[in-house]
Amino acid sequence: MTVGFTLKQLEYFCAVAEHGSFSAAGARLHVSPSAVASSVGDLERVLATQLLVRRKAHGVSLTAAGSHTLKRARILLAEAREVELVRGEDGSRLAGPVSIGCYSTLAASVLPGLLEEFSALHPDVDLSFVDGGMDDLVPMLRRSALDLIITYRINLPVGVQEAVLYECDLHALLPGGHRLAEESAIDVQELAGENLILLDLPPSGRHTLDLLSAAGITPTIRHRTQNFELVRSLVARGLGYSLLIQKPRITHSYEGLSLVTRPLQPRLSREAVVCIWPAATRLTNRARALVDYARETSAPALTKTSSTPQTDKL
């Protein structure tokens, strides 16, 4: 079978689709906009279909055929990069890039050990990461800028496959001198009249409010922030309580003020930390190895909770 298009044409087309114009794609690829436009035009002629709608001074947009072609082109380019990586090798050595997205509140506890230890086992794998909220990470996963995302199993996007890393419980975060600080567990109803410091990093904020609503509580939100450590500092100052999933080992805020974590009774929520990737994407051997390693090692020692048996298959 003879294929009439080239990998370069696919690469240029993907760059235009992702950056919105020939000039932006050219800058990204370090070639002239006219070279990009010519290459994409040749691809359209070979495929006998229009992939882009050109709008003078307003960039380009994908046609329906262009959207379909973009998905397939990304897969072909990824496969081509895999072939390039194992050229001259027997194919068993793990080498090449793996880009990880990590939900911000998990990053400090999950990523450092994973990056150090996996890199020591597989020095030819080039690990990189981006941390942030899911509103930022999911689009990156969709356009193949990320191979994987480590996050909570809360409002996961459609069309992804997951592997469970570990599980943890929602808990109350209180200042050290709080009236309930000596309790072994706390009924969330006892906090109903107090101010809430809300971690509002999507999807955590909405999830917390939904849980409180299900418990019949409409909280008084004193402050909202997407900064996990700022939540802890505000609570330590006595400005309110918070409900969090992630539980750092340290029991003080950045200012050195005391913090107390207490389980909720009855339990409001038990959440799984998962690694996700597009269901339509076949993981590379190195990405699959990273997921397997994360499942074996990621549960933080500070949780000390038993997880349900891992039965999902990669």
Side-chain angles (χ1 to χ4, degrees):
M1 177 181 177
T2 301
V3 177
F5 58 82
T6 68
L7 291 176
K8 179 178 287 188
Q9 289 170 345
L10 295 180
E11 181 184 11
Y12 283 15
F13 166 64
C14 288
V16 174
E18 290 165 9
H19 295 280
S21 70
F22 294 115
S23 58
R28 173 67 180 83
L29 297 166
H30 305 291
V31 298
S32 69
S34 60
V36 177
S38 176
S39 183
V40 173
D42 290 341
L43 179 62
E44 288 178 316
R45 282 188 287 275
V46 169
L47 299 179
T49 189
Q50 183 179 356
L51 303 176
L52 300 172
V53 176
R54 283 93 165 154
R55 296 187 300 248
K56 190 174 182 179
H58 294 285
V60 302
S61 61
L62 290 169
T63 64
S67 295
H68 175 76
T69 302
L70 179 62
K71 295 176 184 177
R72 307 307 302 172
R74 284 171 172 164
I75 294 172
L76 286 172
L77 289 172
E79 292 293 341
R81 285 190 288 269
E82 292 305 303
V83 171
E84 182 72 17
L85 285 169
V86 299
R87 183 176 58 184
E89 304 287 344
D90 62 4
S92 62
R93 176 177 62 93
L94 294 181
V98 177
S99 182
I100 310 163
C102 191
Y103 187 65
S104 284
T105 64
L106 287 167
S109 61
V110 172
L111 284 182
L114 190 61
L115 295 172
E116 178 190 13
E117 295 162 11
F118 189 82
S119 294
L121 289 173
H122 305 287
D124 293 321
V125 175
D126 180 18
L127 295 180
S128 61
F129 69 89
V130 176
D131 67 300
M134 292 298 282
D135 286 352
D136 297 318
L137 297 178
V138 170
M140 296 180 69
L141 186 70
R142 297 253 187 248
R143 65 174 186 266
S144 302
L146 295 173
D147 296 300
L148 310 161
I149 295 177
I150 298 174
T151 185
Y152 292 109
R153 188 199 273 153
I154 300 173
N155 297 329
L156 291 181
V158 298
V160 298
Q161 189 168 344
E162 68 173 52
V164 177
L165 305 187
Y166 61 94
E167 294 182 338
C168 46
D169 293 326
L170 189 73
H171 64 272
L173 181 70
L174 307 171
H178 193 275
R179 61 185 176 84
L180 299 174
E182 300 303 319
E183 299 292 328
S184 59
I186 296 173
D187 187 330
V188 72
Q189 298 293 339
E190 297 186 80
L191 297 169
E194 301 194 17
N195 292 326
L196 172 66
I197 308 298
L198 181 66
L199 177 65
D200 204 12
L201 182 68
S204 286
R206 184 71 264 160
H207 181 63
T208 298
L209 294 179
D210 287 345
L211 290 173
L212 288 172
S213 178
I217 297 172
T218 301
T220 301
I221 302 173
R222 182 164 184 180
H223 296 293
R224 298 171 181 259
T225 177
Q226 295 190 349
N227 188 310
F228 180 74
E229 287 300 334
L230 181 54
V231 169
R232 300 179 77 251
S233 292
L234 293 174
V235 170
R237 283 277 182 172
L239 299 179
Y241 73 96
S242 193
L243 299 179
L244 300 172
I245 303 173
Q246 183 66 13
K247 188 187 298 182
R249 187 184 298 272
I250 56 175
T251 57
H252 291 79
S253 70
Y254 270 13
E255 297 177 295
L257 300 177
S258 178
L259 287 163
V260 173
T261 60
R262 290 292 179 263
L264 297 172
Q265 188 63 41
R267 176 192 290 166
L268 278 191
S269 176
R270 183 166 180 79
E271 303 298 343
V273 176
V274 298
C275 189
I276 64 171
W277 61 95
T281 298
R282 182 172 62 85
L283 288 178
T284 62
N285 288 341
R286 58 188 179 276
R288 186 183 300 275
L290 180 67
V291 173
D292 288 341
Y293 188 79
R295 293 176 70 178
E296 295 169 2
T297 64
S298 287
L302 57 99
T303 61
K304 300 298 184 185
T305 58
S306 61
S307 296
T308 56
Q310 305 301 314
T311 59
D312 51 317
K313 303 296 183 182
L314 297 184

